[in-house]
Amino acid sequence: KFLIYNQTDSVSSFQIDQSNNATFASNVTISGNLTHSGGDFNLPSGAQIDWANGDARIVEGDTNNYSLSFQTYDGSACNTALRVEGNNNAYLAGKLGIGTADPDGDGYSYAEDLVIKGGNSASDGAGITIAGNGKTYGVIAFGDAADNNIGEIYYSHSDNSMNLRTNTNVALNLDSSGN
């Protein structure tokens, strides 16, 4: 065991144990690159990693003990851009572009919250697949403050029909024969 003590209060400031694990009693400042090879990199619960310029941060336990938040600086404060919860739910602040870094510029002005931009080849497609995996319905729901599914486009796997719902009522039903 290798120890370095604080001269003032004889408390161990740094130690390396028999397994070559290093322990620091307080903050460690690194002016160059930090290289870690093999093994776990353990941080205490509630810890965060900050970039020196203050532009980004990763925080564990920001909203509860089982969350991991990725924060970015907006000019006045670090705000959560992406949070992953312990139950595998994710929260994304802002807009999402798939195949584009500019959903505002590449999306229709009333539908730029999620923009999927196809590839450069004319034979490429852009799309969304809703795979039921044993569920009864595949649904795209349209909601408002009063009703979270006032309108829907849904496919029923039980009878292989496609349905369009407006004002909570089925307005169009295409059965498995296309009628």
Side-chain angles (χ1 to χ4, degrees):
K1 187 185 247 188
F2 174 77
L3 299 170
I4 296 177
Y5 284 96
N6 182 321
Q7 205 171 27
T8 307
D9 55 13
S10 297
V11 173
S12 171
S13 299
F14 172 71
Q15 83 176 35
I16 300 175
D17 65 17
Q18 293 85 348
S19 300
N20 292 323
N21 294 318
T23 304
F24 296 88
S26 62
N27 296 336
V28 176
T29 302
I30 299 170
S31 59
N33 294 326
L34 173 64
T35 303
H36 176 68
S37 58
D40 294 334
F41 195 87
N42 293 308
L43 296 172
S45 182
Q48 66 187 40
I49 299 171
D50 286 300
W51 274 247
N53 62 4
D55 286 347
R57 165 184 307 150
I58 301 172
V59 182
E60 186 271 334
D62 186 39
T63 57
N64 60 51
N65 290 335
Y66 309 106
S67 69
L68 188 62
S69 299
F70 297 85
Q71 301 179 344
T72 55
Y73 187 69
D74 68 2
S76 62
C78 268
N79 295 295
T80 298
L82 172 65
R83 181 177 65 241
V84 181
E85 301 288 343
N87 61 5
N88 293 325
N89 288 339
Y91 163 79
L92 176 69
K95 299 172 181 171
L96 176 62
I98 299 174
T100 177
D102 185 16
D104 273 333
D106 287 331
Y108 172 62
S109 63
Y110 291 106
E112 74 278 2
D113 297 312
L114 169 62
V115 175
I116 302 170
K117 187 173 181 179
N120 294 327
S121 170
S123 64
D124 286 345
I128 299 170
T129 298
I130 300 174
N133 291 338
K135 303 287 184 178
T136 303
Y137 300 107
V139 179
I140 298 174
F142 303 90
D144 56 31
D147 190 331
N148 65 2
N149 69 333
I150 192 82
E152 289 182 350
I153 301 170
Y154 71 94
Y155 186 86
S156 172
H157 295 284
S158 60
D159 64 4
N160 293 318
S161 66
M162 178 69 76
N163 301 274
L164 178 66
R165 182 187 308 251
T166 61
N167 198 22
T168 69
N169 298 307
V170 175
L172 176 66
N173 172 281
L174 293 172
D175 65 21
S176 59
S177 318
N179 297 318

